[in-house]
Amino acid sequence: MRETLFVPVHEQGAVILLDVETEQPFEIEAAFHRDFQLEWPAALGATYSSWMAEERAFYFGEEQRKFVALVGSPTAAEPQQEYQTNYSEAQESSFRLGATTKGKERKLIVIAGSMEGRVGAEKTYRHLTIDYADLLKESAEYYRTYLAETVTLDLPDAQIQQAYDWSRVSMLQGMVTNPFLGTGSSRGTVLRERANGQDSHGFSGAIRAGLRWP
């Protein structure tokens, strides 16, 4: 199996491509722990999740119904949702992507978000699901063009050259757009870790989602 994670340049979401090649029946299960919050010290308050059968995705929401996210797949089935009762709990949610009996097949996991409610998140989710191939090409071309049209260095070592080019891409990725605040450079990403049932926070530089380039 080959996994490709990419974030379209102009979309509020990400796509994970899973290219399967097998001689025996093979099925992927996607499992995750929900962490649907703003970066510290901001907070959304109480958040929740539910399964949307029509979209084959988990729905993440909050009390004001302004911040929304969807995580799912066009082939998602057999969802298992986090729960909490007086006698047991599970923090993990999951879904299966459907079995590949033999040969080659591509599976998708789609993540979409919105700061404008459910309608915006659903629109982005469907767009990423349907048009992911074009968005992948567009993202790759965007970074090729950036590298070709900005100042660069030709280095004698191929690995150093690659690291240098990736550092230039990372600088560009550090520019983020907030519909309420405009576009600017991101200071960094807050790392959230859960210890003894509580969230702890620490800054560890900018961690960006991986984009497929070139």
Side-chain angles (χ1 to χ4, degrees), residues 8-167:
V9 176
H10 303 297
E11 303 295 335
Q12 297 181 28
V15 180
I16 301 174
L17 307 178
L18 301 167
D19 293 304
V20 177
E21 184 174 2
T22 180
E23 294 294 328
Q24 302 293 332
F26 181 84
E27 184 171 20
I28 299 169
E29 181 179 24
F32 60 90
H33 287 204
R34 177 174 59 92
D35 186 4
F36 187 58
Q37 278 292 345
L38 297 176
E39 288 189 358
W40 178 83
L44 292 177
T47 61
Y48 58 89
S49 69
S50 60
W51 175 252
M52 298 176 60
E54 65 275 16
E55 298 289 355
R56 295 178 180 261
F58 281 103
Y59 172 92
F60 298 166
E62 44 85 28
E63 293 176 334
Q64 296 182 357
R65 299 185 178 181
K66 180 179 179 181
F67 296 90
V68 173
L70 299 179
V71 179
S73 170
T75 62
E78 300 182 49
Q80 300 292 325
Q81 190 169 352
E82 62 180 272
Y83 69 91
Q84 186 174 33
T85 67
N86 292 333
Y87 51 87
S88 67
E89 67 174 329
Q91 297 183 356
E92 185 176 274
S93 298
S94 67
F95 52 84
R96 294 180 178 271
L97 299 183
T100 300
T101 55
K102 188 177 182 179
K104 298 180 179 180
E105 190 174 16
R106 169 168 283 182
K107 304 290 186 179
L108 304 180
I109 297 175
V110 179
I111 305 168
S114 174
M115 298 183 187
E116 301 173 347
R118 176 170 176 168
V119 174
E122 290 180 347
K123 181 179 178 180
T124 299
Y125 180 83
R126 293 175 187 140
H127 178 40
L128 295 178
T129 300
I130 297 171
D131 301 320
Y132 72 88
D134 291 337
L135 292 170
L136 178 60
K137 294 177 182 178
E138 178 186 313
S139 296
E141 185 59 31
Y142 176 83
Y143 289 104
R144 286 195 193 98
T145 301
Y146 172 78
L147 292 175
E149 296 182 354
T150 55
V151 176
T152 186
L153 298 175
D154 291 325
L155 302 172
D157 184 276
Q159 289 185 330
I160 296 177
Q161 182 73 57
Q162 185 180 54
Y164 167 69
D165 289 338
W166 271 113
S167 69

